[in-house]
Amino acid sequence: MEAFQRILTFVLNQKTVIGYSFMALLTMGSERLFSLVAFKCPCSTENVVYGLVFLLAPAWVLLILGFFVNNRTWKLFTGCCGNPRTTLPRGHRGRFFYVFFQITLSSLVAPTMWLSVALLNGNFYECAMSGTNSPSLLRWICKGKPKECWEELYKVSCGKTSMTPSDNEELKLSLQAQSQILGWCLICAASFLSLLTICYARCRSKVSYLQLSFLKMYTQKEKKQLENTFLDYANRLSERNLKCFFENKRPDVFPMPAFAAWEAASELHSFNRSQQHYSSLHRVVEDGLELSPEDEETTMGLMDTSHNG
């Protein structure tokens, strides 16, 4: 039992690494499936468009999905049009763009993996480059190759050129080598950029390493317990309402946070050395609500709207 607990603890501590590893394996499998089942280079003047679509379209879809599945995206944008002060609070407007930058970096992981794997495979790049009509690119690709390379480059992927099989294979290997070089360059650049970003964020941190570790642990625990509390209160409230509905009686008072408390707890949190609040909810609990006249007007406006409805 103790050994199992150690393994479980290790997995939980390394869940980010395990998650990225699983994402990498899933990306490799998806790319391989696309190459074998769906991808058929037309070997015509449409090679460029066809190859680039297979190379870039899945990356774009993965980027959009990355924004969709990230809960911080919806926490950042929910209510930003109706009440922008929750998203862009006074004195902390830069926090919005900092959080959005973090979300974007997280969403770029899967597209970068796709592009890296696709370039290392080389099929999409080979198809796209074989359809180019650019004189400079043709001069670079067909340098030292037979003159048929200039006229029949788009047929290379299918092996239907009038060149000898060895020349055709050499040209294909050259294009695939270029693709793999680009793939490794992308991997190195992404790794270096990730390291720089993490180092810069840690360098600009307002707290020590130990306190930052505590902050991360507190954030995880608060999120988990908040979800459990939501579930508990939703069950209790729904049970009370259903019971009163079927028994045809007035409900008892059910304690719930005020509208202003929901708004304040949903704001972007920025750590302050003078006040050790580890989340917006923590700040609301410790300091209570201090509504500005504009915030009170927003709250009253919502209440008036609900009464009129």
Side-chain angles (χ1 to χ4, degrees):
M1 188 65 182
E2 184 179 350
F4 176 76
Q5 187 66 32
R6 290 178 181 176
I7 295 174
L8 181 60
T9 303
F10 174 79
V11 171
L12 291 176
N13 291 335
Q14 303 297 324
K15 61 181 180 180
T16 301
V17 177
I18 295 173
Y20 283 145
S21 300
F22 176 76
M23 187 185 299
L25 291 174
L26 187 62
T27 303
M28 292 174 63
S30 301
E31 193 279 336
R32 192 60 182 167
L33 185 63
F34 265 75
S35 298
L36 294 176
V37 178
F39 183 75
K40 303 292 181 184
C41 189
C43 294
S44 66
T45 55
E46 299 176 351
N47 282 13
V48 175
V49 176
Y50 189 83
L52 289 178
V53 164
F54 269 83
L55 183 64
L56 300 178
W60 174 255
V61 173
L62 289 172
L63 177 63
I64 300 301
L65 287 176
F67 280 102
F68 264 109
V69 300
N70 195 324
N71 291 330
R72 300 182 72 190
T73 303
W74 308 118
K75 182 176 181 179
L76 186 66
F77 285 101
T78 299
C80 64
C81 295
N83 189 11
R85 288 182 297 278
T86 60
T87 304
L88 299 170
R90 293 186 184 89
H92 301 287
R93 300 189 186 277
R95 180 67 179 171
F96 171 86
F97 300 101
Y98 176 73
V99 173
F100 183 73
F101 179 70
Q102 288 182 320
I103 296 171
T104 303
L105 285 181
S106 299
S107 302
L108 282 172
V109 173
T112 303
M113 287 184 177
W114 169 269
L115 290 174
S116 302
V117 173
L119 288 172
L120 289 177
N121 189 350
N123 290 337
F124 304 150
Y125 177 90
E126 175 193 330
C127 181
M129 288 297 290
S130 64
T132 181
N133 291 321
S134 172
S136 57
L137 288 177
L138 285 172
R139 192 179 304 111
W140 175 51
I141 295 172
C142 296
K143 183 179 180 180
K145 304 295 189 298
K147 62 180 182 178
E148 289 84 2
C149 174
W150 288 75
E151 302 173 356
E152 302 179 356
L153 181 61
Y154 64 90
K155 298 180 181 180
V156 167
S157 295
C158 301
K160 297 179 180 180
T161 65
S162 58
M163 294 184 293
T164 61
S166 59
D167 288 334
N168 189 89
E169 185 65 21
E170 182 182 349
L171 195 53
K172 287 185 64 175
L173 292 176
S174 177
L175 291 174
Q176 290 180 359
Q178 295 170 18
S179 178
Q180 291 172 349
I181 290 172
L182 287 176
W184 280 113
C185 289
L186 178 61
I187 292 173
C188 293
S191 303
F192 185 65
L193 179 62
S194 300
L195 178 62
L196 283 182
T197 304
I198 294 174
C199 289
Y200 178 77
R202 291 301 178 93
C203 181
R204 299 280 297 178
S205 176
K206 298 179 181 179
V207 298
S208 64
Y209 175 80
L210 289 178
Q211 194 171 15
L212 183 61
S213 300
F214 176 80
L215 173 61
K216 290 182 177 180
M217 186 174 296
Y218 172 84
T219 303
Q220 294 174 358
K221 293 296 183 180
E222 183 188 79
K223 179 181 178 182
K224 182 177 179 180
Q225 293 183 16
L226 187 63
E227 292 175 352
N228 293 335
T229 305
F230 279 173
L231 181 61
D232 178 50
Y233 268 75
N235 286 333
R236 288 162 54 190
L237 181 59
S238 61
E239 287 176 2
R240 187 206 70 163
N241 292 340
L242 288 171
K243 183 177 180 180
C244 293
F245 175 76
F246 282 103
E247 295 179 0
N248 194 25
K249 66 179 184 179
R250 298 298 300 172
D252 298 330
V253 177
F254 192 87
M256 289 286 287
F259 170 79
W262 287 104
E263 289 285 304
S266 300
E267 290 180 359
L268 293 176
H269 176 65
S270 183
F271 191 83
N272 191 339
R273 283 178 174 271
S274 61
Q275 298 175 320
Q276 294 193 38
H277 298 150
Y278 294 102
S279 68
S280 297
L281 189 148
H282 185 192
R283 176 177 56 79
V284 172
V285 172
E286 291 283 353
D287 295 347
L289 296 174
E290 297 180 0
L291 296 180
S292 65
E294 292 179 344
D295 293 329
E296 292 179 353
E297 181 181 347
T298 301
T299 305
M300 293 303 297
L302 181 71
M303 293 175 62
D304 293 339
T305 303
S306 62
H307 286 313
N308 293 336

